[in-house]
Amino acid sequence: MDSETVAPVSCPMPEKENSARKSNNDNTNAVVTNVNSTGVPCFWNILNPNAWFNPERLNPRVATLIYWRDPKKSGAVFGATLGLLLSLAYFSLISVLAYLSLLILVATVAFRIYKSVLQAIQKTSDGHPFKYVLDLDLTLPTEKVHELADIAVAHVNATISELRRLFLVEDIVDSLKFGVLLWCFTYIGSWFNGMTLIIIGVVALFTLPKVYETNKTQIDENLALVKGKVDEFTAKIKAAIPLVKKPEPTKED
């Protein structure tokens, strides 16, 4: 079976919100991909791996990290992030921040003293060892803050619209799927706490994209089979539940 048989799942949404979605700028569209017309990542597209693992849809810096284009940089970021999360899992946030800040401060003070002594011995005038960092402009650009805020608001509004659609049973099959998902989450919540799930998510972020890129053909073939079974089961449910059947359009004279 060809890998291209794994087609995206459409998520019907109101036309009004779809037209509003098209008016967003290019940067927002680059971030909010694999979404329905409200901007919410379509959960029912879960069996389409191309919708989740596509480096072209990511910021180049993010793609470089999670696809391990530069193993040294990816390893450093992954190790530091995982180490921080593991620390937060065993110690309080205040303790982790205090110890981390103290470690950085001790390192910078020691380095400053070392460079000062070295300059005094060698009788050089290299100046402050951190002058380059001190001269950096760390102020946040207003345009970038507004851009990120607009993207965040778009996601929040779209998520609210999608939850309204699911909870108010606009499509009974989608709402039933959502109910099954929530039921699964009750078990996940009893097995893992929030920090454990975040750690698992970070590990998955740095492993699954690369695994899929390496074994794309085999994974697509297996997921195509699973998707076919899911579509077949969904079609049977729609045929069995009268509420799902859409009324036939009346013929005009």
Side-chain angles (χ1 to χ4, degrees):
M1 187 180 296
D2 191 78
S3 61
E4 293 181 356
T5 56
V6 185
V9 179
S10 61
C11 295
M13 286 292 140
E15 283 297 323
K16 235 184 237 186
E17 296 180 3
N18 187 40
S19 60
R21 178 83 191 130
K22 291 178 182 177
S23 65
N24 288 343
N25 57 39
D26 294 338
N27 290 330
T28 304
N29 289 332
V31 176
V32 189
T33 49
N34 178 33
V35 296
N36 55 36
S37 53
T38 62
V40 177
C42 179
F43 172 75
W44 320 126
N45 226 357
I46 193 170
L47 293 180
N48 177 21
N50 288 317
W52 296 93
F53 308 123
N54 190 341
E56 295 179 358
R57 294 176 174 175
L58 299 173
N59 183 290
R61 294 181 181 178
V62 176
T64 299
L65 284 177
I66 65 176
Y67 282 90
W68 296 79
R69 307 299 188 217
D70 186 346
K72 291 183 179 179
K73 185 181 293 185
S74 297
V77 173
F78 177 55
T81 303
L82 189 61
L84 179 62
L85 292 176
L86 289 174
S87 300
L88 291 173
Y90 292 99
F91 304 100
S92 68
L93 176 62
I94 295 176
S95 297
V96 172
L97 291 178
Y99 278 113
L100 183 61
S101 301
L102 186 60
L103 180 63
I104 295 173
L105 181 60
V106 169
T108 54
V109 169
F111 185 73
R112 175 70 193 279
I113 294 174
Y114 167 74
K115 293 296 291 184
S116 298
V117 172
L118 192 63
Q119 290 176 21
I121 294 175
Q122 296 179 349
K123 295 181 179 181
T124 59
S125 56
D126 295 336
H128 199 291
F130 299 116
K131 188 176 186 305
Y132 172 73
V133 180
L134 291 172
D135 291 340
L136 287 177
D137 184 11
L138 300 180
T139 56
L140 294 175
T142 306
E143 296 79 7
K144 190 66 177 178
V145 173
H146 288 167
E147 177 187 325
L148 295 176
D150 290 341
I151 294 173
V153 170
H155 276 289
V156 171
N157 290 337
T159 301
I160 292 173
S161 297
E162 179 71 359
L163 290 176
R164 178 185 61 186
R165 188 181 76 88
L166 294 172
F167 278 112
L168 299 183
V169 200
E170 180 180 321
D171 186 313
I172 191 170
V173 174
D174 281 354
S175 294
L176 289 175
K177 290 179 181 179
F178 183 57
V180 172
L181 175 65
L182 294 177
W183 178 74
C184 293
F185 278 162
T186 62
Y187 283 93
I188 293 175
S190 64
W191 296 335
F192 309 103
N193 58 30
M195 184 54 65
T196 303
L197 291 176
I198 293 175
I199 292 173
I200 293 174
V202 170
V203 173
L205 180 65
F206 279 87
T207 54
L208 295 183
K210 190 63 179 178
V211 169
Y212 175 70
E213 186 180 53
T214 306
N215 306 279
K216 185 177 186 300
T217 303
Q218 298 91 326
I219 294 174
D220 281 351
E221 289 177 354
N222 290 305
L223 285 180
L225 295 175
V226 175
K227 181 182 178 297
K229 296 294 183 182
V230 172
D231 290 344
E232 182 181 347
F233 180 71
T234 302
K236 289 181 179 178
I237 292 179
K238 289 184 176 181
I241 302 177
L243 292 175
V244 177
K245 296 178 180 178
K246 295 182 179 179
E248 295 181 0
T250 57
K251 295 181 180 179
E252 297 181 356
D253 295 334

